[in-house]
Amino acid sequence: MAEKTYDLNFKGYCREVNWKGLPAISGVYCVYACRFDARAKSVSIRQLLYIGESDGIARRVPEHPKKRRDVWARRLRSGEELCVSRAKFESADRERVEAALIYRHKPPCNDEYVNCFPFDETTVATIGDTAKLRGEFTVYRDN
C-alpha cells in the first residue's frame, strides 16, 4: 500500500428512532450523543461515541448487538439520544478510512485502531455533517 487521500461527505444526523430509514449505502458512519430540539427540528452534538464501517449502513447500524448499543447508551446524559452521520464510500479501502478516523479521533466506544494505525500514510478530508471530526488530517503507520 502507498500513501492515499480520501474525501468523505458526511450526511445526517439521523436519530436512533429513524435508523431503519438510513440509506442502503456502503460507507463509514459516526455515532454521537445528541440532544434533539423538536421546535427547531435539529440536533446538537455533544460527543462522538463510535466510528464504524459497513458495506450496508442501513442494515448494520440498527443491527449492532444490543451489548454494543447499551455501551453507547450508558454514555448519554439525561435528555440525550443516539444519532448517526454517514458518508458514502464504496472503495475496498473502507477499513483503512475507518481506522484513520478512529486513530485520529479516539472515540470512547471503539477498541480497534484507537492506539495503532497499521496502514501507510493516509489523509482524510471531511465535509458535511462532521461534528467533532477534523476537516482534514493525516495519520501515519504506527509501528
Side-chain angles (χ1 to χ4, degrees), residues 27-140:
V28 294
Y29 57 94
C30 297
V31 178
Y32 294 97
C34 75
R35 186 175 306 276
F36 178 63
D37 180 338
R39 181 175 288 158
K41 295 187 180 178
S42 66
V43 296
S44 58
I45 305 297
R46 180 182 59 83
Q47 183 181 23
L48 172 63
L49 300 174
Y50 180 84
I51 296 171
E53 63 84 16
S54 177
D55 63 351
I57 289 176
R59 179 187 72 253
R60 177 68 178 141
V61 172
E63 292 180 358
H64 264 285
K66 181 174 176 3
K67 183 178 177 181
R68 170 141 311 183
R69 288 172 54 184
D70 287 347
V71 168
W72 299 343
R74 280 195 297 273
R75 294 199 164 262
L76 298 176
R77 294 178 181 167
S78 177
E80 290 183 336
E81 60 186 295
L82 299 171
C83 68
V84 169
S85 180
R86 72 271 181 203
K88 185 175 182 179
F89 190 78
E90 297 185 10
S91 167
D93 292 337
R94 202 172 52 243
E95 183 180 2
R96 181 177 179 169
V97 170
E98 173 201 33
L101 288 164
I102 293 169
Y103 187 74
R104 172 60 182 91
H105 297 93
K106 303 196 184 314
C109 298
N110 281 93
D111 298 321
E112 195 172 22
Y113 304 122
V114 173
N115 298 313
C116 172
F117 186 71
F119 302 94
D120 288 336
E121 180 178 326
T122 302
T123 299
V124 178
T126 64
I127 61 169
D129 297 317
T130 59
K132 310 299 181 189
L133 297 180
R134 296 257 331 219
E136 184 171 326
F137 62 92
T138 301
V139 293
Y140 303 89

